[in-house]
Amino acid sequence: MQDALVDMGPKASPAQISEDTLAEEAGNATKRTLQLGTVSSSLIKFHAFPQQGNDQAVARPALRKKTGEGKESLERPCGLGCIVIPSCQRFNNIQCFLVFFCILVASQGIVFGLVDLSIDTFQKENHLGTSENLVLSLTYDISSCLIVLFISYYGGRGNIPRWIAFSSFLVGVGSLFFAFPYISDGRYQLSADPEDTCQEMKIIKTCRKASPSFQAKYIASFILGQIVQGIAGMPLYILGTIFIDNSVATHSAGIYLGLMDASLILGYSLAYVIGAPLMKGTENSTFLISVEDIDDHHEWLRSWWIYFGFVSLTAWITLIPLSCFPHSVRGTAKIKAEKRKQLHPFDNKFKDKEFGTSIKDLFANTWVLMKDPVFICLALTKASESLVLIGASEFLPIYIENQFVLTHTLATKIAGFVLLPGGALGQLLGGIIVSKLHMSCKALMRFTIVTSVISLVFFGFVIFVRCDTIPFAGINEDYDGTGQLGNLTAPCNSHCRCSSSLYSAICGRDHIGYFSPCFAGCIQSKIIQDDKTYYNCSCIKEGLTTADDQGDFIDARPGTCDAKCYKLPLFIAFIFSTILFSVFSGIPNTLTILRIVSDNQRSLALGLAFVFLRIFGTIPGPIVFKMTADISCIFRETEYCGKKGNCWIYNKMKMAYLLVGICCICKVVTIFFTAIALCLCKYLPKDNSEILHMPVKNPTVKKKRKN
């Protein structure tokens, strides 16, 4: 009886009350019922008995019959199963739901960032083959692509908050899978640490890799983790979007969806900031780990699984709160009633059409969307836009590191702490702008085109912000005429038997960079105040000499030479603006997809759009940008344990042109398909495509149309 009384609230929403006295009395009864919801359950049951003798007993069945067709009947109190706390009903709104939802989305964003950094470190240190790299990188996209249609079609018919709560559980479990390899030790097969200086007749053992048990454990755990995260992500980004759009007014959806997407990017950026120090081991990854580094090695392992464990805990914290939300939060009935008064481009065809729950119905509904050219163009636009963010996340740290001669750790921090939040701000501002201006479908498409053109202009500026190439012996410097370009070996170091697998760049007093102290011909090194210096370098003959405390003249210091380039702040400003305007179109694109399809197709439309995004965006994207990095490489270690070696030196100019060129092509594709969709909209009725918020003044007329 208590549930029956509480359920009466949404069934008597003002949008569904007719003009007769019977419905008016039912509405008054509903108000009394909502007031009783704040009283203890015993009082609710006590007041239920005398109401059965009133005329409301006649009104309730009629009202239930009238509202039984809509989903407003699922607007229930907030609670966990049969446990309903009246004082907690103040949290039964979309704002409180959004808080926990954004925490969960940000948690998965952190997982994505940590996984990318971890895989990048693992690939460099173990020189994985192409097939292993593709499996580790694309498992998430492939697994999510295989299940997204089923989750979007069947999940949209069920209790969406329960689906999202299940996703929070899976996010935590998937994060633990990623932490599992780091919990136990046995990461390296330790061997003697080779000297990096010039030594005649020395024997170099450069083949180092993780222990077979760790490598197998890592690959298996990360594949399982990626699969679990792929399953967990689809209810978040498909069903979560539908739930938010159902629970807010049309002109407010952009703000809420912008907060959701911004949370994901901020989580990813936070992972770059906290995970960058853990990549210090890759900066000198050419040297084998020594016995003295065991303590640091254990600390390194512990940091990885602590971070993954923290993300699991954060995701599971949202499990119970999200499970307490009902099928529809308070106020959804009124919002849906207002939305039904708005004209819709496809109302005449599909508004009242109900699809079944069989697989055949799923494919039939999918085929209906596939025949819609406007939807196809918008889905392809969404895929092309994803490539720009992939380029920023995958390629930007490498670009900054090589273009401005920074350490890998610092370049990763800059990308995560300064640049990627531009994507979050762009998503949020894009949602706010389109919401405040109450844009129609055509206006949203025009907004996408304009912001894409602006981002193209900023991409043009970015390509001119680069630093001059530093002289590097054997690459663009020929050892004062004694060597050859493209060959690190010269007469001054031929007796050292140096290996190109041991990369440890130094800067000589002649302001020329050398691949390693060995290739500079240095035969002695000292550690003075935690800084290593090199002496008696046979290839360094010019430049000012500086004596140390012991009177010995220093020939070289570790690290790359100072490029004397101060364009990094300007680059940050341009690339920040580029990313900002580039992602402005994210929320407008999603809103347009939601508006051009009927209500009963929205979740499946988003799911199908994600299939396009995976097939044409996130799956080929990493492959394209990795190929771009390989093309830009001008010196790579010849062989490492029988596998393709790492790239040590890149062509800065070629890298800049390729990065900007690919991103510009993506923006041109976005403009092209959005323009086609905009042109196709002229075949829609003008009222439907331009006027999206037109309240119906005569409910009686609308009622006759439905009949």
Side-chain angles (χ1 to χ4, degrees):
M1 180 61 68
Q2 179 182 356
D3 293 339
L5 289 173
V6 177
D7 289 349
M8 288 299 296
K11 295 177 182 178
S13 59
Q16 298 169 335
I17 300 176
S18 60
E19 297 178 354
D20 56 355
T21 308
L22 187 63
E24 183 178 359
E25 293 177 357
N28 296 332
T30 302
K31 294 181 180 179
R32 289 195 297 271
T33 303
L34 292 175
Q35 293 175 356
L36 292 176
T38 60
V39 192
S40 62
S41 58
S42 60
L43 292 178
I44 293 177
K45 294 180 180 180
F46 176 78
H47 284 281
F49 289 104
Q51 291 178 358
Q52 295 178 355
N54 298 337
D55 294 337
Q56 307 303 327
V58 180
R60 284 175 189 162
L63 189 59
R64 183 176 291 110
K65 182 177 180 180
K66 182 176 180 59
T67 61
E69 299 175 356
K71 291 186 178 180
E72 289 84 359
S73 59
L74 298 175
E75 185 178 312
R76 300 177 183 274
C78 183
L80 188 61
C82 59
I83 303 176
V84 178
I85 303 177
S87 59
C88 293
Q89 300 312 307
R90 69 186 67 179
F91 304 112
N92 187 13
N93 53 65
I94 190 60
Q95 290 78 17
C96 291
F97 172 84
L98 190 68
V99 170
F100 295 106
F101 183 69
C102 287
I103 293 175
L104 177 58
V105 171
S107 299
Q108 193 174 46
I110 296 175
V111 173
F112 291 155
L114 291 177
V115 167
D116 286 348
L117 295 180
S118 176
I119 291 178
D120 181 65
T121 304
F122 185 75
Q123 289 174 346
K124 288 182 178 180
E125 292 182 344
N126 296 275
H127 297 73
L128 300 180
T130 304
S131 59
E132 295 170 321
N133 288 333
L134 291 178
V135 169
L136 285 176
S137 302
L138 302 180
T139 305
Y140 170 83
D141 297 306
I142 295 175
S143 62
S144 60
C145 184
L146 293 176
I147 63 158
V148 61
L149 290 180
F150 298 96
I151 291 181
S152 60
Y153 188 72
Y154 296 106
R157 301 166 175 265
N159 192 319
I160 293 180
R162 296 292 189 274
W163 278 89
I164 296 176
F166 179 65
S167 291
S168 68
F169 173 75
L170 292 182
V171 169
V173 172
S175 184
L176 289 183
F177 275 120
F178 297 130
F180 177 71
Y182 296 104
I183 295 178
S184 59
D185 203 351
R187 179 162 172 72
Y188 290 110
Q189 294 175 337
L190 302 180
S191 61
D193 190 5
E195 290 288 339
D196 58 345
T197 56
C198 176
Q199 296 180 9
E200 296 184 10
M201 301 302 294
K202 67 179 178 180
I203 299 176
I204 299 176
K205 183 180 179 182
T206 61
C207 185
R208 171 181 65 97
K209 59 172 66 176
S211 61
S213 61
F214 178 84
Q215 185 168 344
K217 184 194 305 181
Y218 184 96
I219 294 176
S221 298
F222 268 62
I223 290 176
L224 290 176
Q226 293 277 50
I227 292 175
V228 173
Q229 293 293 340
I231 298 174
M234 293 305 94
L236 291 180
Y237 310 121
I238 303 297
L239 304 183
T241 300
I242 297 299
F243 185 81
I244 292 174
D245 187 64
N246 286 339
S247 305
V248 298
T250 302
H251 59 81
S252 301
I255 300 177
Y256 289 87
L257 297 180
L259 286 172
M260 181 190 75
D261 287 353
S263 300
L264 177 65
I265 300 179
L266 284 177
Y268 191 89
S269 304
L270 180 61
Y272 266 52
V273 174
I274 65 177
L278 300 181
M279 303 187 70
K280 288 183 178 180
T282 65
E283 294 178 7
N284 289 321
S285 60
T286 56
F287 297 100
L288 304 187
I289 193 169
S290 60
V291 177
E292 291 79 6
D293 296 328
I294 291 296
D295 292 338
D296 294 337
H297 167 62
H298 288 168
E299 180 67 25
W300 184 83
L301 289 174
R302 186 161 52 248
S303 298
W304 276 112
W305 69 258
I306 285 177
Y307 286 150
F308 281 118
F310 174 76
V311 174
S312 295
L313 182 62
T314 304
W316 285 340
I317 286 176
T318 64
L319 177 59
I320 295 179
L322 290 173
S323 301
C324 293
F325 285 94
H327 186 285
S328 300
V329 295
R330 186 175 56 194
T332 303
K334 183 177 180 180
I335 292 172
K336 284 188 175 183
E338 288 295 327
K339 288 183 177 181
R340 278 197 297 268
K341 300 176 183 178
Q342 301 171 8
L343 297 178
H344 196 284
F346 296 101
D347 274 352
N348 295 332
K349 293 183 179 180
F350 301 111
K351 179 179 178 181
D352 298 324
K353 185 173 181 179
E354 291 292 337
F355 289 89
T357 58
S358 64
I359 299 296
K360 183 178 179 180
D361 294 318
L362 168 61
F363 287 109
N365 206 348
T366 303
W367 180 245
V368 170
L369 293 173
M370 290 290 292
K371 293 189 296 183
D372 182 4
V374 178
F375 169 77
I376 296 299
C377 290
L378 294 175
L380 292 174
T381 298
K382 200 174 187 67
S384 65
E385 284 299 297
S386 67
L387 285 174
V388 179
L389 283 180
I390 291 175
S393 59
E394 294 280 346
F395 203 55
L396 193 56
I398 301 176
Y399 183 86
I400 296 174
E401 175 187 358
N402 291 273
Q403 193 67 241
F404 301 98
V405 195
L406 303 176
T407 63
H408 191 66
T409 299
L410 182 58
T412 304
K413 283 185 177 180
I414 292 176
F417 190 70
V418 179
L419 302 179
L420 289 180
L425 182 61
Q427 295 281 11
L428 181 59
L429 289 180
I432 293 176
I433 291 173
V434 300
S435 295
K436 294 300 181 181
L437 297 181
H438 294 195
M439 290 187 179
S440 64
C441 285
K442 287 186 178 181
L444 290 172
M445 296 179 194
R446 296 189 189 103
F447 181 79
T448 299
I449 294 175
V450 171
T451 54
S452 297
V453 171
I454 295 175
S455 65
L456 270 177
V457 175
F458 279 109
F459 269 125
F461 289 128
V462 167
I463 200 171
F464 295 106
V465 184
R466 59 178 185 268
C467 298
D468 295 332
T469 303
I470 300 175
F472 203 95
I475 303 300
N476 52 29
E477 185 70 24
D478 58 357
Y479 290 96
D480 293 331
T482 62
Q484 297 179 352
L485 296 181
N487 188 0
L488 296 177
T489 303
C492 62
N493 59 28
S494 59
H495 62 286
C496 299
R497 300 184 61 186
C498 304
S499 173
S500 62
S501 296
L502 301 177
Y503 177 63
S504 179
I506 64 170
C507 182
R509 55 186 172 89
D510 55 358
H511 298 290
I512 296 177
Y514 295 86
F515 191 84
S516 69
C518 182
F519 282 104
C522 302
I523 61 176
Q524 185 183 359
S525 64
K526 294 181 182 179
I527 297 179
I528 301 176
Q529 296 179 353
D530 297 331
D531 292 329
K532 199 169 187 178
T533 54
Y534 298 92
Y535 305 84
N536 300 325
C537 302
S538 58
C539 296
I540 303 175
K541 300 176 181 179
E542 298 180 359
L544 297 176
T545 57
T546 304
D548 59 13
D549 297 338
Q550 300 175 359
D552 296 327
F553 293 103
I554 301 173
D555 281 340
R557 298 180 183 274
T560 55
C561 296
D562 186 6
K564 296 181 180 180
C565 179
Y566 308 101
K567 299 179 181 179
L568 182 60
L570 183 62
F571 173 81
I572 291 176
F574 278 135
I575 199 68
F576 184 90
S577 302
T578 302
I579 296 176
L580 181 71
F581 282 96
S582 180
V583 301
F584 263 172
S585 58
I587 298 301
N589 183 268
T590 301
L591 291 176
T592 308
I593 292 176
L594 292 175
R595 293 182 184 182
I596 66 169
V597 299
S598 60
D599 290 342
N600 55 4
Q601 290 180 309
R602 288 183 305 156
S603 60
L604 183 60
L606 282 184
L608 188 57
F610 264 78
V611 172
F612 278 85
L613 186 145
R614 295 288 183 256
I615 295 177
F616 299 103
T618 57
I619 291 179
I623 300 175
V624 170
F625 283 101
K626 289 182 187 299
M627 292 175 58
T628 301
D630 291 339
I631 294 174
S632 304
C633 181
I634 58 177
F635 187 82
R636 182 188 304 275
E637 59 179 303
T638 55
E639 186 176 350
Y640 189 97
C641 304
K643 296 182 179 180
K644 185 179 179 180
N646 291 323
C647 180
W648 299 130
I649 303 172
Y650 293 89
N651 187 322
K652 294 182 179 181
M653 185 173 295
K654 183 182 290 186
M655 179 183 291
Y657 280 113
L658 287 175
L659 174 64
V660 174
I662 293 176
C663 292
C664 287
I665 291 175
C666 295
K667 298 308 296 183
V668 170
V669 171
T670 296
I671 296 172
F672 176 74
F673 283 110
T674 306
I676 292 179
L678 183 60
C679 293
L680 291 175
C681 282
K682 69 181 181 180
Y683 295 107
L684 300 178
K686 182 176 180 180
D687 292 338
N688 290 346
S689 59
E690 289 289 357
I691 305 174
L692 294 177
H693 187 73
M694 182 182 295
V696 179
K697 298 181 180 181
N698 191 352
T700 306
V701 176
K702 186 175 182 180
K703 181 177 178 181
K704 291 180 180 179
R705 288 180 180 176
K706 288 185 178 181
N707 295 334

